[in-house]
C-alpha cells in the first residue's frame, strides 16, 4: 500500500543578499510503500536533507506535492500535522538535542512522559531496545559523559521507543564506526514490527541493504533502484561507492 507520493517537488531558496534564487530540489518524483526501507543517497549539498524535511512536513516546498496516504500535506492544518508527527514519526537527526541535566534513560523517556505513559510501560519498551543497541550499561550516565556514537545510539532508542510508523534517520550514523553502524541497522531491521524506514546518508555502506535507493545530485533525482541496479546503471552512485570503498582499502 502506498504511504507517500512525491510529485514534481521543487524547493528554491533566496540567496543571502536576495539577489537571485538558488534551487535546492528540482522536479523530484517518487513514491514509498508502507514498511519499505528507502535510502536517500548523495554527496553534501545534493538536497538530501531538504527533501527529508519536506517529506516529514518540517518544511514547505516551492512547487509540487507531497501526498500522505492520498492527502496533500500542504492542505492539512498545521495542528493536525503536528499531531501526526507526534504519533507516527520517529526522528533521528545529526544534532542529538539531548538535555545535559537528564540522564540518558530520562532523555529516552521524555517523549513518553509527555504522552502520559506509565513508568512500567516505558521500562518494558526500553529494555530490549537498550540491549540491541548496546546502551544498557550507560543509561544512568549523562550526555556529556558519553561519546558521539553512544549519543547517536541513544537518539535511535529515543525514536524507536515510541514505536513510530515512520522512522527517519538523517545521517544519524555519521559518528559511528562501520561495525557499530551495522549493528544498529540490524537492530532496527529486527524490530517486532516493521516501520517505514527513511535513511539519508553519504555513506554507501549505510544504504546498500535498502529495498530501494534514491540518488540525488544537485537537487535532481538521477538514480533509483537497488544497490546492484544502481552500480550498473547510475554513474553518480557508482562513483560515490567506488571512491568510498577504494578509500577504505587504501586506509587499511
Amino acid at each position: 500500500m502506498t504511504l507517500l507520493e512525491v510529485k514534481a517537488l521543487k524547493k528554491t531558496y533566496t540567496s543571502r543578499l536576495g539577489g537571485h534564487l538558488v534551487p535546492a530540489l528540482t522536479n523530484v518524483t517518487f513514491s514509498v510503500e508502507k514498511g519499505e526501507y528507502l535510502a536517500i543517497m548523495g554527496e553534501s549539498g545534493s538536497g538530501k536533507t531538504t527533501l527529508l524535511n519536506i517529506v516529514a512536513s518540517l518544511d514547505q516546498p516551492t512547487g509540487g506535492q507531497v501526498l500522505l496516504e492520498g492527502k496533500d500535506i500542504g492542505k492539512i492544518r498545521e495542528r493536525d500535522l503536528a499531531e501526526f508527527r507526534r504519533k507516527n514519526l520517529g526522528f533521528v537527526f545529526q544534532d542529538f538535542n539531548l538535555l545535559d541535566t537528564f540522564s540518558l534513560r530520562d532523555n529516552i523517556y521524555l517523549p513518553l512522559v509527555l504522552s502520559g505513559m506509565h513508568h512500567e510501560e516505558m521500562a518494558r519498551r526500553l529494555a530490549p531496545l537498550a540491549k540491541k543497541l548496546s546502551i544498557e550499561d550507560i543509561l544512568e550516565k549523562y550526555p556529556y559523559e558519553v561519546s558521539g556514537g553512544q549519543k547517536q545510539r541513544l537518539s535511535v532508542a529515543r525514536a524507536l521507543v515510541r514505536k513510530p510508523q515512520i522512522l527517519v534517520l538523517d545521517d544519524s550514523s555519521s559518528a559511528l564506526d562501520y561495525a557499530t553502524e551495522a549493528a544498529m541497522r540490524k537492530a532496527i531491521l529486527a524490530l517486532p514490527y516493521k516501520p517505514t524506514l527513511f535513511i539519508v546518508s553519504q555513506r554507501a555502506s549505510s544504504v546498500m541493504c535498502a529495498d530501494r535507493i534514491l540518488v540525488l545530485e544537485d537537487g535532481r533525482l538521477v538514480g533509483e533502484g537497488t544497490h546492484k541496479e544502481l552500480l550498473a546503471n547510475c554513474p553518480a552512485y557508482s562513483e560515490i561507492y567506488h571512491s568510498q570503498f577504494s578509500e577504505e582499502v587504501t586506509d587499511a
Side-chain angles (χ1 to χ4, degrees):
M1 181 178 179
T2 300
L3 173 69
L4 190 77
E5 292 178 87
V6 174
K7 297 183 176 182
L9 198 67
K10 298 179 182 179
K11 181 65 177 181
T12 304
Y13 295 101
T14 303
S15 64
R16 181 174 298 178
L17 299 178
H20 62 281
L21 299 178
V22 179
L25 295 172
T26 303
N27 200 35
V28 175
T29 298
F30 63 94
S31 63
V32 184
E33 300 300 306
K34 281 189 175 180
E36 187 173 12
Y37 174 6
L38 183 77
I40 303 173
M41 178 74 175
E43 296 187 334
S44 179
S46 62
K48 304 185 304 297
T49 298
T50 298
L51 175 58
L52 198 63
N53 286 341
I54 293 174
V55 166
S57 72
L58 299 175
D59 196 3
Q60 297 295 320
T62 306
Q65 289 181 301
V66 178
L67 304 178
L68 180 65
E69 295 183 331
K71 296 179 181 179
D72 187 341
I73 65 172
K75 298 179 180 178
I76 300 175
R77 293 182 303 176
E78 178 55 37
R79 183 176 64 183
D80 294 334
L81 275 177
E83 179 72 4
F84 173 82
R85 287 193 295 265
R86 185 179 68 81
K87 289 185 175 180
N88 299 287
L89 293 180
F91 294 102
V92 185
F93 290 121
Q94 294 175 7
D95 296 326
F96 308 120
N97 295 321
L98 302 176
L99 300 176
D100 278 341
T101 56
F102 280 35
S103 70
L104 300 184
R105 184 188 303 276
D106 288 339
N107 266 283
I108 294 172
Y109 281 169
L110 183 58
L112 302 180
V113 171
L114 294 176
S115 68
M117 185 176 293
H118 293 297
H119 184 273
E120 293 77 9
E121 174 63 14
M122 292 190 290
R124 188 185 67 80
R125 287 192 180 195
L126 176 57
L129 281 176
K131 185 175 182 179
K132 287 179 180 178
L133 294 170
S134 300
I135 58 173
E136 69 268 37
D137 295 331
I138 62 171
L139 290 175
E140 303 310 320
K141 292 187 176 183
Y142 289 82
Y144 56 83
E145 297 179 302
V146 298
S147 68
Q150 289 171 320
K151 288 178 182 178
Q152 285 190 311
R153 280 181 273 152
L154 168 83
S155 298
V156 171
R158 183 175 57 182
L160 289 177
V161 78
R162 294 171 49 231
K163 297 185 177 179
Q165 287 189 43
I166 303 170
L167 181 62
V168 178
L169 296 95
D170 181 13
D171 210 12
S172 58
S173 61
S174 59
L176 302 181
D177 59 62
Y178 287 100
T180 305
E181 178 195 357
M184 184 183 74
R185 192 165 57 247
K186 183 178 179 181
I188 293 172
L189 295 176
L191 289 170
Y193 70 103
K194 190 176 182 182
T196 302
L197 180 61
F198 288 86
I199 289 185
V200 169
S201 183
Q202 297 182 55
R203 274 187 184 179
S205 62
S206 299
V207 305
M208 289 166 54
C209 296
D211 297 326
R212 193 155 44 100
I213 305 167
L214 306 180
V215 184
L216 291 178
E217 187 174 58
D218 297 327
R220 297 179 181 274
L221 184 61
V222 298
E224 181 177 354
T226 64
H227 167 69
K228 185 176 180 179
E229 291 168 345
L230 290 171
L231 274 182
N233 301 310
C234 179
Y237 181 82
S238 180
E239 181 179 350
I240 294 172
Y241 172 80
H242 288 296
S243 67
Q244 291 182 4
F245 278 82
S246 64
E247 287 174 5
E248 288 178 29
V249 171
T250 300
D251 291 342

